[in-house]
Amino acid sequence: MNSIRYFNITWASKYDGPGNRVVVFLQGCNLSCSWCHSPHSQVASSPLLFFPNLCTQCERCAVVCKQGVHHFANGIHSVVHALCVKCGSCIDACPVSSVHKAGALYLPTREVEVTQLFRELEPQLKLLQNNGGITFSGGEPLLQSKALAELARLCKANGYHVAIETSGVVDTLNLEPLLPYVDCWLVGFRLLQGYSNGIVPAMEVVVRRFLETVRHAGGSSIIARIPIIPNVTDSMEYLEQVRLLTKEFYIDTIELLPHNPESNHYYRALGLTPLVTYNKEQSEAAYQNANRIFT
Amino acid sequence: MENVLTERIAQLRLELKRKGSSNRSIEWVDKQKLPNIGETYPNEHVVVRRAYAIKAMLEALCDTSVTGNTNCFQIANGDLLAGNIPMGSNGLGKVFPTYLTEDELRIGSVTNKTEMALLGHNSINYEKLLKGGLREIIRFAESKLAPKMLKMSIKDAYDVNAFYRSVIISCHAVIDYSHRFSQLAKDMAYACTDAKRKAELLEISRICKKVPEHPADTFYEAMHSIWLMHCCLHSTMDFMSLGRLDQVLNPYLEKEPNKEFALELFQNFIIKAASRLNFTTEYLVEQDHMDYNAALGIHPYYLDQRAGLNNFLQNIIIGGKTPDGNDATNECTYLILDAFRGINLSTPGIYVRLHSQSPRRLVDEVARSLKETKNLPAILNDDVMIPAMYNALAGKETDKVRLAEYQRLANDYCVDGCWEPILNGVSEWTFGMINGLTVLECAMNRGAALNPNSELLRGQKLSIDTGVPSTYDEFKNAISKQLQFFIDQSAFAMCLYYMTTEFVVPTPLVSALFGTCLERGKDKSWGGAQYNIGGTIVGGVPDMVNTIAAIKTWVYDKKKYSITDVANAFKYNYKAPNKGDDKTQKLYNDIKVDINTNSPQWVNSNEVEPIAQFLTDEIYSAVSKSKQLAEKVFINKEGDEDKSVWALRAISGYYGKSMQYEIPDFELKFTAGLGTFEQYNWQGAGNAASAGRAFGAPLAPNFTPTTGTLHRPVSSLLASFAKLGLDRYAGGVITDVCVKEDENLADLLKLFVKEKGGMLTVTIASDSYQKIYDLAKEATESGNREVANELLKYSDIVVRVGGWNAPFITLPLSHMENYVSRPVDLE
Ligand code: SF4
Ligand code: SF4
């Protein structure tokens, strides 16, 4: 039996593939894009998230934590993430953190048998069957390609439209098991990560091979989903290269994703400073600029 | 058709909103001005007195010296239908002439029975009315009268002669009422200078002269006939539901060439039936006409008057199947749905019957209506309700002819003024309610409620002592036994008091058009209806499921706490009773966190499914067992000869004959239902804490997960129904969901039908719930008139309140609070 790790499910999204879709966000990523808005998805199992606005300062968490992660001083509850071993005791003790949904404290990663997850998803898949389907996103979903292939197979066999959102920066070995079951690929065209302001040739090679393999297998469509992050992915040269690549693979549907204003939400919950800060004017200007290039 | 109201309808709706937003206390009929029939005719049989009271009321409503400000005897500008229902509602009470004698009223104090005790949970046979007219009924009744009228004497308690006289008197009263409006319309026409309106008034005059006395020939006449009858029933205490109007009206609609007029007429009908609405809650005390009768059986059933303020027990049911099992959707189904979509008021209720073969167009139109109105219509699943009704009727019957008849009746089911399933126009319905959380408290606490009052020691002793369960199996066993106790109590009380209304609220006008009453010469309250259905409705079942799941986890699986610790934590609402007792307080804190946030929950956790199944199985089985004993003791005539049955009757406090003694083929079809109606607030007020619910907080509304605990999409909730066997529950199982999304509604409805849910209401959440609640709170606390007026801007936001729909702004604050945390978020 395969099990699969995910950190979130959105039950009805209109932004992640054709129609209205269930989106399962799989845990773990091989990249660490500076603009990533789910930094907790990158590692194999998410660190503890802490949302101070929900905390009632009852201090029950501090009492049960053996690692001394939780501190209270001057009416402020601070969390030393580095010490946490993710045992979950504080969540059990917290009155505003439930096993059923995110609360003040949350360890979002859940590992579950593929068949069980399918059973949980199926009612909503039935509901969305006529005008949507399921999208596997992440993290990088292809890192769990074996389990994912089994889940995708179940979805496909039951008549649900399957999409996978990927960076495309993955080995074709991870891609191949999925090919028979995927109707639509949402490819992120990550040709760089971190702060480098230009294409990383090695990444381009991998993405190109990825696209070749998908096109070669046939039977699925590709949608390009290109993040437009000011000062990172918005240079003319970079976007022009991306554009050429989409042309080369006959990708007609191109979605430009502006910088997410909420992108520092999880950084705060992890006690981190966002690597790229959101700037409204810049991000709108960059978006309009990119729009001109792609239309 | 476009969702645009004609000028006429827009004006009528506006006028209703205006009236409903002002002080309506002046519009009530003054009881002082009505005659006392009990005093005038003390020697008449009560059924005849009731008929005279109907006559007196319908006369008074057309007498301007009595009506005053009531607006009862008028034809409003533009109105196409004559006849007006006086103020009254399920929550505010009704006004009617006294017809009981002083002795009857005094004796009734034991059983809480007065003239207002009419339950009104039924529909009448409108098809018969349209085809034959009241004249036909009168002719039939006259043919049955003894040759010489036995004036002023009562032959026996169930005096057939008196019954037929009462039918004749009340039918004449309705005819006379209509004729008075015919004359009024004619008088108004003469005075009218607008030629178009003049012609309309003359047409109204002509029709009121003809129906409901004679058969209806056109759609207009049919609508008028039904309206006048509905109006007379609701004016004379009988809050009857409207039944399957698309089936009754379609033959007339097919012949009607002007479909725009038909739509306008139906919308006019809706506005008239809604004419008693109150949109403001400022003037309710002045309008409170309720008396002490609001009781069912021996259990005082106190209405949540505020929640029932705008309930009139009038539903229209459309779609579904014909008696022979084919799809019943017709042109009129769509017309009625369109009419409701355009008007969007909270009353009358509109229910659509859907089944797996319902036309795609109907499902789409229902989805569209839900999207536009945000709350209409409610859905009944034929694929579940028909088998449930059939099984309740068939019981152990093997006769093929009878079974075929039961199938036809089941196919023709509808619901009454709330949502209890009934047989269209032929079945009497009665019910008892029990609170599932109280049952659970008794299972945890040796038959006693969890009450923190130390003078009660362990708490009020409500039922049998089932011991302290030390294993999960023992716990389940205790729950089963407690369920049986409470369901027995409810079911036997239902039998025992079934006939207590027979000499208090006979209903000759209803009986004229109800089942076999007329043929048998027996009033509905004398068991004249052909079929009698009784239901035990269990509330708080979703709360039970989650609480049992939590107890199983922490008491029996993980053994972290004892059942007594958990019971005490619930009882004291997690506050240690002794100040400074830190040890207990810590224990209760831990229990609270584990029960509320670390336990499996219905829908969110698949492992809870067996518990939901266990409860639905046990409730059904307990009702079946109660039915067996009740039949033996109270219903079957064999018991009349059996000394041991006499002894059992004596134990119940009953010394009479069986129900079959008077009516040889009498049967009470027992069944179970799951729901709360609007009672979830009041019932929960008496309960200790439970999973996800504080001490005294509302129960889960109907059969819906405890408010605020559903973290999976509604589709998951629907999928959980399939394994619960809800098609055993002829008392109905209703789920009220409140969603943020208005997408995929058609698919949601189809999924609901496929997953075998019973009944469903959908409310599309408004962003304004919190804002309205804040305003209402401010208005209540400050009495500020400006804030109250501000609230009126939101009068078109309608929500489900368990048994019916109501304008959100008129809800009690506690109900509003509950609603704020209802919407299911899919993010
Ligand atoms: S998860 Fe465990 S180690 Fe981490 S903060 Fe909570 S209790 Fe401490
Ligand atoms: S237990 Fe929860 S609510 Fe209490 S202080 Fe810790 S995080 Fe805050």
Side-chain angles (χ1 to χ4, degrees):
Chain A
M1 268 292 166
N2 273 319
S3 63
I4 195 162
R5 273 171 297 113
Y6 67 92
F7 65 93
N8 194 16
I9 296 174
T10 293
W11 293 100
S13 163
K14 289 190 208 83
Y15 310 104
D16 300 278
N20 210 345
R21 311 182 71 85
V22 175
V23 187
V24 182
F25 296 89
L26 300 195
Q27 184 73 43
C29 190
N30 53 341
L31 302 181
S32 48
C33 303
S34 53
W35 62 86
C36 176
H37 59 77
S38 317
H40 59 302
S41 73
Q42 294 171 9
V43 285
S45 159
S46 168
L48 181 73
L49 302 178
F50 172 54
F51 299 98
N53 54 320
L54 299 174
C55 170
T56 62
Q57 306 240 358
C58 71
E59 304 193 12
R60 286 174 60 94
C61 48
V63 175
V64 296
C65 178
K66 296 200 175 73
Q67 313 300 324
V69 172
H70 300 275
H71 296 272
F72 295 85
N74 307 324
I76 291 176
H77 175 185
S78 51
V79 172
V80 186
H81 282 86
L83 298 177
C84 173
V85 298
K86 303 187 236 181
C87 70
S89 302
C90 57
I91 298 174
D92 289 348
C94 174
V96 291
S97 300
S98 150
V99 292
H100 301 291
K101 64 168 206 259
L105 299 170
Y106 195 40
L107 280 169
T109 310
R110 198 172 157 234
E111 179 156 5
V112 42
E113 296 286 341
V114 165
T115 44
Q116 192 195 324
L117 181 57
F118 179 70
R119 240 199 334 270
E120 290 173 16
L121 299 171
E122 197 170 19
Q124 186 71 358
L125 291 177
K126 277 188 199 165
L127 180 69
L128 301 181
Q129 187 161 24
N130 294 329
N131 65 351
I134 186 162
T135 299
F136 298 101
S137 180
E140 172 51 64
L142 293 190
L143 294 191
Q144 299 187 57
S145 63
K146 188 155 170 264
L148 181 55
E150 194 183 328
L151 184 51
R153 184 184 60 75
L154 279 174
C155 293
K156 190 80 201 146
N158 285 279
Y160 307 122
H161 182 273
V162 176
I164 290 187
E165 173 159 45
T166 170
S167 65
V169 193
V170 264
D171 198 296
T172 45
L173 278 180
N174 289 7
L175 168 62
E176 266 145 16
L178 268 315
L179 286 168
Y181 313 121
V182 177
D183 299 293
C184 176
W185 295 91
L186 310 172
V187 182
F189 283 84
R190 304 287 196 273
L191 303 184
L192 62 79
Q193 55 174 343
Y195 297 106
S196 71
N197 208 336
I199 287 210
V200 179
M203 288 174 85
E204 192 189 357
V205 170
V206 181
V207 171
R208 187 182 290 277
R209 204 179 306 133
F210 178 92
L211 293 169
E212 276 163 7
T213 315
V214 170
R215 276 296 184 232
H216 182 75
S220 61
S221 60
I222 301 178
I223 295 175
R225 283 168 54 99
I226 302 159
I228 307 297
I229 311 300
N231 307 320
V232 186
T233 66
D234 67 336
S235 77
M236 291 288 269
E237 305 77 49
Y238 177 79
L239 291 175
E240 184 53 24
Q241 296 242 36
V242 172
R243 195 184 68 84
L244 288 176
L245 202 54
T246 60
K247 276 258 164 298
E248 183 182 338
F249 287 95
Y250 305 103
I251 299 169
D252 302 327
T253 317
I254 293 172
E255 293 173 7
L256 301 181
L257 311 179
H259 195 190
N260 183 348
E262 301 298 326
S263 62
N264 55 2
H265 181 70
Y266 287 109
Y267 286 89
R268 264 187 268 128
L270 292 162
L272 300 173
T273 327
L275 300 174
V276 182
T277 44
Y278 176 74
N279 177 310
K280 190 164 186 278
E281 283 91 61
Q282 280 190 13
S283 109
E284 279 168 8
Y287 181 76
Q288 272 160 20
N289 200 33
N291 227 342
R292 276 193 290 277
I293 294 175
F294 281 91
T295 46
Chain B
M1 258 178 257
E2 275 299 302
N3 186 15
V4 178
L5 301 181
T6 62
E7 171 83 24
R8 177 200 313 273
I9 296 300
Q11 277 307 320
L12 289 170
R13 190 181 188 280
L14 204 66
E15 179 58 15
L16 167 58
K17 295 288 295 265
R18 189 193 62 75
K19 263 194 219 154
S21 305
S22 58
N23 184 351
R24 304 204 78 168
S25 61
I26 50 164
E27 292 180 65
W28 284 72
V29 171
D30 181 359
K31 178 150 179 166
Q32 306 298 326
K33 294 189 178 156
L34 300 175
N36 186 323
I37 305 294
E39 276 173 12
T40 322
Y41 302 100
N43 297 323
E44 280 286 8
H45 191 290
V46 62
V47 72
V48 177
R49 275 182 272 135
R50 175 78 204 280
Y52 279 135
I54 289 172
K55 180 170 148 65
M57 184 69 183
L58 294 180
E59 278 170 1
L61 288 177
C62 302
D63 176 348
T64 38
S65 73
V66 179
T67 52
N69 294 320
T70 62
N71 299 316
C72 283
F73 195 51
Q74 61 164 38
I75 299 169
N77 211 358
D79 202 340
L80 294 168
L81 294 164
N84 305 295
I85 306 176
M87 290 302 287
S89 83
N90 206 18
L92 294 174
K94 315 165 197 174
V95 177
F96 194 63
T98 300
Y99 60 85
L100 294 178
T101 62
E102 205 190 326
D103 287 353
E104 285 165 346
L105 284 167
R106 285 176 60 199
I107 289 290
S109 65
V110 186
T111 47
N112 288 331
K113 295 288 177 273
T114 71
E115 288 114 343
M116 237 192 267
L118 258 185
L119 190 52
H121 280 55
N122 275 303
S123 63
I124 62 165
N125 187 342
Y126 275 116
E127 194 179 337
K128 192 169 170 186
L129 176 73
L130 298 188
K131 284 192 177 145
L134 291 176
R135 186 55 67 186
E136 186 64 34
I137 308 278
I138 294 172
R139 259 196 295 273
F140 183 89
E142 281 173 348
S143 76
K144 296 284 177 178
L145 277 183
K148 231 172 150 202
M149 259 199 224
L150 298 163
K151 273 228 174 81
M152 302 296 204
S153 81
I154 298 170
K155 222 173 76 193
D156 66 34
Y158 306 99
D159 187 337
V160 174
N161 223 39
F163 171 72
Y164 284 121
R165 278 180 62 215
S166 72
V167 168
I168 294 167
I169 294 165
S170 37
C171 287
H172 272 301
V174 174
I175 293 170
D176 292 346
Y177 177 83
S178 308
H179 288 178
R180 284 192 288 275
F181 272 93
S182 171
Q183 187 59 48
L184 176 67
K186 196 186 269 175
D187 294 346
M188 286 173 72
Y190 284 132
C192 183
T193 50
D194 173 7
K196 190 162 165 263
R197 183 63 183 156
K198 190 187 198 90
E200 283 174 2
L201 287 164
L202 287 173
E203 177 66 354
I204 292 172
S205 174
R206 179 191 71 78
I207 294 176
C208 291
K209 192 86 196 160
K210 178 174 174 183
V211 297
E213 180 177 6
H214 300 289
D217 291 308
T218 65
F219 186 71
Y220 196 3
E221 289 173 6
M223 288 291 294
H224 230 129
S225 183
I226 293 174
W227 168 252
L228 284 162
M229 192 65 194
H230 182 69
C231 179
C232 289
L233 288 166
H234 278 238
S235 300
T236 59
M237 306 298 266
D238 273 304
F239 277 15
M240 284 284 131
S241 198
L242 286 149
R244 305 185 68 185
L245 285 193
D246 60 341
Q247 303 308 301
V248 174
L249 284 168
N250 199 54
Y252 301 90
L253 180 65
E254 280 176 341
K255 288 186 290 182
E256 170 61 50
N258 187 346
K259 306 294 183 202
E260 270 83 39
F261 172 71
L263 178 68
E264 191 176 41
L265 193 58
F266 208 94
Q267 293 188 321
N268 199 153
F269 183 95
I270 294 171
I271 294 172
K272 296 210 64 148
S275 66
R276 295 159 281 179
L277 281 172
N278 266 294
F279 292 106
T280 169
T281 53
E282 277 186 278
Y283 316 100
L284 297 184
V285 177
E286 302 97 296
Q287 294 187 69
D288 186 359
H289 289 68
M290 190 52 93
D291 72 7
Y292 63 90
N293 78 85
L296 280 178
I298 47 167
H299 297 297
Y301 157 75
Y302 296 104
L303 282 166
D304 185 339
Q305 280 187 255
R306 268 291 300 274
L309 156 72
N310 283 316
N311 177 249
F312 313 97
L313 298 170
Q314 47 181 2
N315 282 329
I316 294 173
I317 289 79
I318 57 174
K321 294 191 178 178
T322 60
D324 41 22
N326 298 314
D327 179 59
T329 314
N330 58 36
E331 193 187 343
C332 198
T333 314
Y334 294 110
L335 177 100
I336 293 177
L337 195 54
D338 261 344
F340 271 94
R341 190 165 56 80
I343 297 293
N344 196 13
L345 289 170
S346 61
T347 185
I350 170 82
Y351 286 74
V352 177
R353 286 177 46 177
L354 294 179
H355 52 85
S356 40
Q357 261 76 53
S358 288
R360 175 80 217 192
R361 179 180 162 207
L362 180 62
V363 180
D364 286 343
E365 287 291 321
V366 170
R368 176 180 172 200
S369 175
L370 278 171
K371 193 172 172 125
E372 286 179 21
T373 64
K374 314 228 178 287
N375 73 110
L376 300 177
I379 315 300
L380 307 170
N381 186 359
D382 280 7
D383 292 0
V384 167
M385 291 319 302
I386 291 175
M389 294 303 275
Y390 176 76
N391 289 332
L393 286 170
K396 296 196 195 80
E397 182 65 62
T398 51
D399 181 90
K400 284 229 172 71
V401 180
R402 281 202 124 180
L403 287 175
E405 180 55 21
Y406 289 149
Q407 188 63 60
R408 289 181 63 81
L409 285 165
N411 288 341
D412 196 29
Y413 82 95
C414 63
V415 294
D416 64 14
C418 290
W419 47 259
E420 299 91 330
I422 52 172
L423 302 175
N424 194 20
V426 296
S427 73
E428 173 70 322
W429 160 256
T430 185
F431 70 107
M433 287 170 72
I434 68 170
N435 175 342
L437 269 188
T438 305
V439 176
L440 193 58
E441 288 180 17
C442 289
M444 295 172 75
N445 189 32
R446 298 174 45 208
L450 293 171
N451 189 308
N453 184 340
S454 61
E455 286 168 30
L456 293 167
L457 305 183
R458 271 193 300 117
Q460 303 101 309
K461 313 301 178 291
L462 299 180
S463 81
I464 47 173
D465 183 348
T466 39
V468 180
S470 58
T471 64
Y472 182 54
D473 281 339
E474 279 179 32
F475 184 43
K476 286 205 298 189
N477 216 333
I479 294 168
S480 303
K481 284 188 181 146
Q482 295 292 350
L483 271 172
Q484 190 69 60
F485 178 88
F486 282 97
I487 289 174
D488 276 348
Q489 193 177 49
S490 158
F492 302 153
M494 198 154 61
C495 284
L496 197 49
Y497 288 86
Y498 193 68
M499 305 288 263
T500 52
T501 51
E502 62 197 338
F503 301 121
V504 182
V505 281
T507 63
L509 189 51
V510 169
S511 303
L513 289 159
F514 195 80
T516 45
C517 291
L518 204 60
E519 290 74 16
R520 291 180 178 186
K522 275 192 190 307
D523 190 86
K524 176 172 88 85
S525 65
W526 303 349
Q530 204 166 354
Y531 301 98
N532 299 275
I533 308 180
T536 297
I537 312 283
V538 187
V541 175
D543 299 303
M544 291 177 86
V545 174
N546 284 355
T547 309
I548 294 170
I551 290 174
K552 175 177 186 293
T553 307
W554 295 106
V555 174
Y556 298 113
D557 294 349
K558 303 198 178 179
K559 302 193 173 27
K560 190 169 170 189
Y561 314 110
S562 74
I563 184 80
T564 314
D565 286 340
V566 175
N568 285 333
F570 285 174
K571 162 157 118 179
Y572 296 117
N573 202 20
Y574 308 109
K575 296 247 165 9
N578 301 321
K579 279 225 166 67
D581 180 356
D582 295 343
K583 198 168 151 249
T584 307
Q585 188 55 57
K586 182 179 178 309
L587 175 70
Y588 289 178
N589 290 345
D590 289 351
I591 292 176
K592 182 177 183 182
V593 170
D594 281 334
I595 297 274
N596 286 342
T597 70
N598 298 331
S599 299
Q601 287 171 336
W602 183 32
V603 186
N604 301 326
S605 333
N606 294 0
E607 72 246 50
V608 173
E609 252 170 32
I611 297 174
Q613 281 165 3
F614 161 73
L615 282 177
T616 44
D617 288 351
E618 287 305 292
I619 290 169
Y620 182 76
S621 128
V623 171
S624 307
K625 285 184 199 154
S626 299
K627 170 181 152 78
Q628 278 171 20
L629 187 54
E631 280 172 349
K632 173 172 141 185
V633 176
F634 299 106
I635 296 175
N636 296 346
K637 52 184 167 292
E638 292 75 30
D640 295 333
E641 310 303 324
D642 185 335
K643 288 281 164 350
S644 67
V645 168
W646 276 95
L648 290 172
R649 283 184 196 163
I651 295 173
S652 78
Y654 181 70
Y655 294 90
K657 298 263 187 178
S658 67
M659 295 193 186
Q660 291 180 345
Y661 179 81
E662 269 302 326
I663 309 155
D665 54 354
F666 183 89
E667 275 188 87
L668 188 55
K669 312 278 188 184
F670 268 75
T671 175
L674 303 175
T676 55
F677 308 99
E678 87 299 349
Q679 296 274 308
Y680 47 94
N681 268 29
W682 280 41
Q683 287 199 0
N687 287 114
S690 60
R693 199 191 129 270
F695 191 105
L699 301 184
N702 282 330
F703 191 60
T704 316
T706 308
T707 302
T709 66
L710 182 58
H711 303 303
R712 290 232 184 129
V714 172
S715 56
S716 301
L717 169 63
L718 303 187
S720 74
F721 292 147
K723 293 180 192 132
L724 300 181
L726 301 182
D727 55 3
R728 295 172 290 180
Y729 280 74
V733 178
I734 187 160
T735 303
D736 301 322
V737 297
C738 181
V739 293
K740 287 188 176 169
E741 286 262 317
D742 62 1
E743 307 267 324
N744 298 310
L745 289 168
D747 289 332
L748 189 80
L749 301 177
K750 283 197 287 184
L751 192 65
F752 170 72
V753 171
K754 199 166 158 202
E755 300 286 1
K756 301 251 186 295
M759 307 169 170
L760 180 73
T761 73
V762 180
T763 303
I764 316 286
S766 157
D767 295 336
S768 311
Y769 291 156
Q770 184 69 47
K771 172 126 200 264
I772 298 172
Y773 170 72
D774 294 340
L775 280 173
K777 204 162 166 219
E778 193 186 336
T780 316
E781 282 161 7
S782 68
N784 185 332
R785 184 57 55 87
E786 269 172 38
V787 183
N789 286 340
E790 175 76 14
L791 268 178
L792 288 172
K793 286 189 195 152
Y794 299 95
S795 63
D796 280 335
I797 295 179
V798 172
V799 295
R800 183 75 182 178
V801 209
W804 48 80
N805 289 9
F808 189 72
I809 56 169
T810 64
L811 294 186
L813 288 174
S814 57
H815 278 266
M816 285 190 182
E817 241 167 64
N818 190 275
Y819 243 94
V820 170
S821 39
R822 270 198 206 190
V824 178
D825 202 344
L826 295 184
E827 284 306 306

